[in-house]
Amino acid sequence: MIKKTMKQLAKMIQVDHDLEQFANIEISGVTIDSRKIEKGNLFVPFKGEQVDGHLYVEEALEKGAAAALWQKDVPNPPVHLPVIVVENTLEALQELARQYRSELDVKVVGITGSNGKTTTKDITASLLGLQYKVQKTEGNFNNHIGLPLTILGLEEDTEIAVLEMGMSSVGEIEFLTKLARPSAVIITNIGEAHLQDLGSRERIADAKLEIVKGLMENGLIVYHGDEPLLFERLKNFDGDAKQSTFGRFDYNTLYPLDIRQTDTGSHFKVNSLPYEFELPVLGTHNILNALAAMLVAHYFGIPYEKMNDAFSTLKVTNMRMELVEGGCGEKIINDAYNASPTSMKAAIELVTSLSGYEQKILVLGDMLELGPEETSFHYSVGQEIDSSHIDYLFTYGKLGEYIAKGAREHFPANRVRSFLDKELLLQELKKVINAQTLILVKGSRGMKLEEIVQKLQKQ
Ligand SMILES: CC(=O)N[C@H]1[C@@H](OP(=O)(O)OP(=O)(O)OC[C@H]2O[C@@H](n3ccc(=O)[nH]c3=O)[C@H](O)[C@@H]2O)O[C@H](CO)[C@@H](O)[C@@H]1O[C@H](C)C(=O)N[C@@H](C)C(=O)N[C@H](CCC(=O)N[C@@H](CCC[C@@H](N)C(=O)O)C(=O)O)C(=O)O
Ligand SMILES: Nc1ncnc2c1ncn2[C@@H]1O[C@H](COP(=O)(O)OP(=O)(O)OP(=O)(O)O)[C@@H](O)[C@H]1O
Ligand SMILES: C[C@@H](N)C(=O)N[C@H](C)C(=O)O
């Protein structure tokens, strides 16, 4: 993490005022939450939706913060304390991250895409960790606040930083990539996430491709080669970057062969390689995420024959195709972190393909932020559920009712239930599950369907 004196900090963020007796105070690390202060931190207050973080500056310093920033338009800066007054605390945080990044020797891998950023980040970091000192985005800290905080948390001897770059509107990825300056980038896919803000998949593709604007010279672009919106935009790319693709079809640099899905994860081979890979993550879509990560790892010199060593200890961030056991011995795939039509269909495809269960149940919640076509998106998810492999569909939420409507076109009526109350859904669900049941739980973050998983685990 960043370690500087206040004098050095002031210079990095181009603030010119007399720090007096505080000039040589040393800070280590940065936090934006006084409840998470670690000794020596720089505390950066933000005016939030609930409160103004400036209320907590003195508390932060009492708790062990070494210094704090203070936004100029907030009255009564505690000038008797080690505080640097700035125009805008968020912009100061971002500039500090930009300057700190430029001092480091670290190579950056930037990862964006509609789905799979966090999972691919975890896999990429695991593979690179075979040979390098690696740090990565923690959790989902992937935006204009989270990415700068991640950069400020980098150690000076970190060799590769794997950074997730999220967005929900045009220009956000460009900002992040020009701050992080990656040597390699991954674009996982173009789905429907944040369609409400972008308006079309074409504009989503344009927004994701902003990531190449910050790419270092002779960098690497890895992208989903089966996605025409990416292929068409990159085939005439006039930069000096190398391009590699991954996907299901044989025109890609890497594509999977002999895929097998079991409770322990995904087993697959890859074209041109004589090995079988054992990925402890469910779903063909996660195999594709792994292929993207493998291409980047190979670019940094990790031998393909060593990659299973990383996969064997891989732990991906929770609530992404996380297989757990419920109180009745049933197996539950907790895929409740978020959902869009592409990720919902990918998860359903996985459940449909798994064998060894007497019955399979889908518990599906609303998919949010899809824009004016949201009801037809939900309806088509329901239409595509295979009633010869799925025994029950339980939906949760108003939009979930459209999934049910689409399913009722070909499901027996008593096998499709819609709910607006989680407790009622749980009561009815418990009536049909047993130790030979597999349940998929998936919905947007706002639906908090992990609460259903937690209740099933406690029963
Ligand atoms: C600025 C901030 O920290 N916001 C977080 C805060 O939100 P809120 O405005 O309600 O803050 P408060 O009003 O409660 O407090 C104001 C500040 O005061 C601090 N404070 C408060 C109390 C106290 O006792 N001491 C204090 O110091 C406090 O820390 C505030 O700084 O709280 C919310 C709930 O916890 C947080 O969710 C909110 O975090 C915002 C969203 C944020 O961006 N945090 C980043 C660190 C981050 O990366 N978060 C990720 C999620 C990022 C994300 O959603 N990414 C999108 C893609 C990008 C979309 C982009 N357009 C965008 O705008 O996000 C995605 O789809 O993945 C994470 O948390 O996982
Ligand atoms: N390549 C993929 N194609 C389709 N769905 C995917 C893919 N990778 C992951 N998913 C699904 O998307 C969901 C989110 O996964 P993950 O958190 O890795 O994506 P993300 O892009 O980081 O999400 P966010 O945009 O919220 O940060 C998971 O439920 C997972 O099942
Ligand atoms: C939480 C955010 N990353 C996200 O994915 N939002 C969509 C709407 C979801 O939760 O599905």
Side-chain angles (χ1 to χ4, degrees):
M1 64 181 72
I2 188 172
K3 293 181 174 63
K4 298 290 179 183
T5 65
M6 282 188 70
K7 185 177 178 182
Q8 289 170 319
L9 284 178
K11 188 176 178 191
M12 289 171 80
I13 56 179
Q14 296 116 44
V15 167
D16 179 20
H17 70 215
D18 183 1
L19 295 168
E20 296 172 347
Q21 73 271 31
F22 304 128
N24 294 321
I25 287 180
E26 290 200 352
I27 69 102
S28 62
V30 177
T31 183
I32 61 173
D33 193 333
S34 67
R35 295 158 294 195
K36 297 171 184 170
I37 291 289
E38 291 178 7
K39 183 166 175 47
N41 280 171
L42 172 72
F43 174 60
V44 180
F46 291 151
K47 292 183 180 179
E49 288 167 25
Q50 282 34 266
V51 294
D52 183 343
H54 289 80
L55 293 173
Y56 306 99
V57 166
E58 299 205 28
E59 174 190 310
L61 293 166
E62 285 159 10
K63 284 183 173 179
L69 300 186
W70 189 276
Q71 190 155 301
K72 196 173 183 179
D73 61 359
V74 177
N76 309 320
V79 290
H80 61 292
L81 295 172
V83 164
I84 301 176
V85 178
V86 297
E87 281 295 330
N88 177 291
T89 51
L90 173 58
E91 289 170 6
L93 175 86
Q94 293 165 341
E95 182 58 23
L96 188 59
R98 184 177 291 108
Q99 295 301 323
Y100 183 55
R101 188 266 175 276
S102 66
E103 290 178 6
L104 297 175
D105 286 338
V106 69
K107 301 282 189 215
V108 171
V109 177
I111 302 175
T112 193
S114 297
N115 311 107
K117 297 184 291 297
T118 299
T119 305
T120 305
K121 172 258 294 180
D122 290 336
I123 300 172
T124 305
S126 172
L127 290 170
L128 292 169
L130 290 171
Q131 206 165 294
Y132 297 94
K133 178 174 179 179
V134 177
Q135 285 182 266
K136 65 178 183 179
T137 298
E138 293 307 324
N140 196 53
F141 269 33
N142 64 15
N143 68 4
H144 58 300
I145 303 171
L147 180 134
L149 282 173
T150 303
I151 287 175
L152 291 166
L154 297 179
E155 300 300 338
E156 291 185 359
D157 63 348
T158 290
E159 295 171 292
I160 301 181
V162 185
L163 303 183
E164 185 180 333
M165 298 184 186
M167 67 104 214
S168 60
S169 56
V170 171
E172 291 181 2
I173 296 288
E174 180 173 358
F175 175 83
L176 298 176
T177 191
K178 285 184 174 176
L179 196 163
R181 299 306 318 276
S183 304
V185 296
I186 295 174
I187 304 160
T188 58
N189 75 343
I190 303 300
E192 307 82 11
H194 305 301
L195 194 57
Q196 178 174 279
D197 302 296
L198 279 293
S200 70
R201 292 185 69 246
E202 287 73 11
R203 280 170 54 83
I204 291 176
D206 292 336
K208 302 298 184 187
L209 277 166
E210 290 172 11
I211 199 167
V212 305
K213 294 181 177 179
L215 190 62
M216 299 288 258
E217 275 187 19
N218 302 314
L220 172 68
I221 304 172
V222 171
Y223 68 95
H224 196 314
D226 300 343
E227 174 52 72
L229 293 174
L230 292 175
F231 177 75
E232 289 305 317
R233 284 162 171 76
L234 283 167
K235 69 182 181 183
N236 301 319
F237 179 68
D238 60 5
D240 56 14
K242 179 177 180 312
Q243 296 186 20
S244 297
T245 66
F246 63 92
R248 298 297 302 271
F249 301 106
D250 62 7
Y251 46 67
N252 286 290
T253 313
L254 286 190
Y255 56 91
L257 299 165
D258 304 337
I259 294 173
R260 288 185 302 114
Q261 295 288 353
T262 69
D263 277 2
T264 61
S266 305
H267 315 267
F268 61 99
K269 289 186 177 174
V270 171
N271 60 302
S272 73
L273 296 174
Y275 325 109
E276 178 168 70
F277 294 97
E278 310 285 333
L279 183 72
V281 191
L282 290 168
T284 301
H285 53 290
N286 283 314
I287 292 177
L288 296 181
N289 292 337
L291 295 183
M294 291 163 73
L295 284 165
V296 167
H298 182 65
Y299 173 75
F300 281 101
I302 305 295
Y304 283 116
E305 61 267 27
K306 293 287 186 191
M307 292 186 182
N308 267 329
D309 296 346
F311 290 159
S312 62
T313 58
L314 174 67
K315 293 279 180 288
V316 295
T317 306
N318 64 349
M319 297 201 284
R320 281 87 168 165
M321 301 302 282
E322 187 181 5
L323 187 64
V324 297
E325 188 165 312
C328 295
E330 76 278 19
K331 291 290 191 314
I332 308 162
I333 295 175
N334 177 358
D335 197 25
Y337 172 68
N338 68 5
S340 60
T342 300
S343 66
M344 192 71 99
K345 290 173 185 175
I348 294 167
E349 178 192 330
L350 177 272
V351 170
T352 303
S353 71
L354 281 177
S355 55
Y357 295 95
E358 277 184 10
Q359 71 176 350
K360 297 177 189 176
I361 300 174
L362 304 180
V363 178
L364 307 181
D366 292 1
M367 298 178 285
L368 305 177
E369 297 183 37
L370 294 177
E373 300 302 312
E374 61 183 6
T375 52
S376 58
F377 277 127
H378 286 76
Y379 194 89
S380 70
V381 165
Q383 280 182 310
E384 293 181 29
I385 299 172
D386 181 345
S387 57
S388 63
H389 285 86
I390 301 297
D391 298 284
Y392 288 94
L393 168 64
F394 288 66
T395 70
Y396 173 66
K398 284 301 288 172
L399 290 169
E401 292 173 357
Y402 290 93
I403 301 176
K405 284 177 183 165
R408 286 195 183 100
E409 281 186 359
H410 54 292
F411 261 82
N414 66 341
R415 297 297 180 101
V416 180
R417 303 287 304 279
S418 293
F419 298 87
L420 297 175
D421 179 296
K422 279 179 190 162
E423 281 308 317
L424 205 51
L425 188 156
L426 268 168
Q427 283 171 24
E428 293 304 306
L429 183 59
K430 286 175 183 174
K431 290 177 183 173
V432 294
I433 58 179
N434 58 42
Q436 287 73 43
T437 301
L438 174 66
I439 306 171
L440 168 68
V441 179
K442 188 172 183 66
S444 271
R445 183 82 312 265
M447 306 310 286
K448 297 183 182 172
L449 286 185
E450 67 275 14
E451 292 170 357
I452 289 181
V453 179
Q454 290 153 7
K455 295 259 173 85
L456 286 172
Q457 288 178 294
K458 284 180 182 157
Q459 64 180 340

